[in-house]
Amino acid sequence: MSDEKDELGIAGRRVPDEYFRARSSARVWNYWLGGKDNYTVDREAGDRFVQVYPEIPSLAVQYRQFLVRAVEYLTVEAGIRQFLDIGTGLPTMQNTHEVAQALAPESKIVYVDNDRFKSGCAHAPGRS
C-alpha cells in the first residue's frame, strides 16, 4: 500500500489511507480497461467479479468505445462544446474531456459524481 500511495503524486495533499483500502467501482473499471489508475484492492475486487461474470472486461471496453464514439459525434457532427458527464468513471482513460478537447480544445466538461474520492482524481496533476 505505501508504494501505491507514494505513486499517487498529489503534491501537498494528504491522501487518506481509506482511499487505498476501499475499492472503487471506477478504479475497478479502470483495471478492466487496462489502465494504471487502480490499486491492489481494486484489482482483487475486479478479479473476483470476473470469476462470476467473465465477460465484464470486454463489456467495459465496449462501453468505453461507445462513450468515445458518442463524444466524437457530438463534438464533430453536432458541434457540441459543453458536456455534462454524470457518474464520471474517473479515473480512467479516454474521458469525456480528453476526447472532446482533442477534437475541439475549447470544449468545456463538467463532471458530476457522488464518490468523494473522484474530486481528487479530477484535480490531480496531469489531468485537464
Side-chain angles (χ1 to χ4, degrees):
M1 179 169 60
S2 63
D3 291 339
E4 291 177 334
K5 189 171 184 176
D6 293 341
E7 291 174 13
L8 190 58
I10 301 176
R13 295 183 68 186
R14 185 185 179 290
V15 179
D17 288 339
E18 176 186 353
Y19 184 80
F20 302 95
R21 286 195 303 268
R23 61 188 171 271
S24 159
S25 62
R27 292 191 316 249
V28 170
W29 277 76
N30 177 266
Y31 169 57
W32 290 332
L33 291 170
K36 62 176 181 55
D37 294 315
N38 54 74
Y39 302 102
T40 302
V41 66
D42 307 308
R43 293 185 292 271
E44 290 171 349
D47 290 343
R48 284 193 306 275
F49 197 87
V50 167
Q51 290 174 351
V52 176
Y53 192 47
E55 298 85 8
I56 194 67
S58 175
L59 286 174
V61 169
Q62 291 173 40
Y63 289 156
R64 184 54 48 165
Q65 290 170 339
F66 173 78
L67 178 133
V68 169
R69 286 192 311 272
V71 172
E72 287 174 343
Y73 173 82
L74 292 170
T75 304
V76 175
E77 301 296 326
I80 303 294
R81 296 296 183 267
Q82 296 179 345
F83 294 85
L84 175 61
D85 190 330
I86 301 172
T88 67
L90 292 172
T92 195
M93 63 282 266
Q94 294 180 305
N95 292 301
T96 302
H97 73 277
E98 293 169 324
V99 176
Q101 290 174 347
L103 299 166
E106 69 277 15
S107 296
K108 304 294 181 199
I109 294 81
V110 173
Y111 289 103
V112 179
D113 204 300
N114 64 355
D115 184 336
R116 63 191 172 110
F117 291 128
K118 292 187 182 150
S119 173
C121 295
H123 294 86
R127 301 228 190 257
S128 327

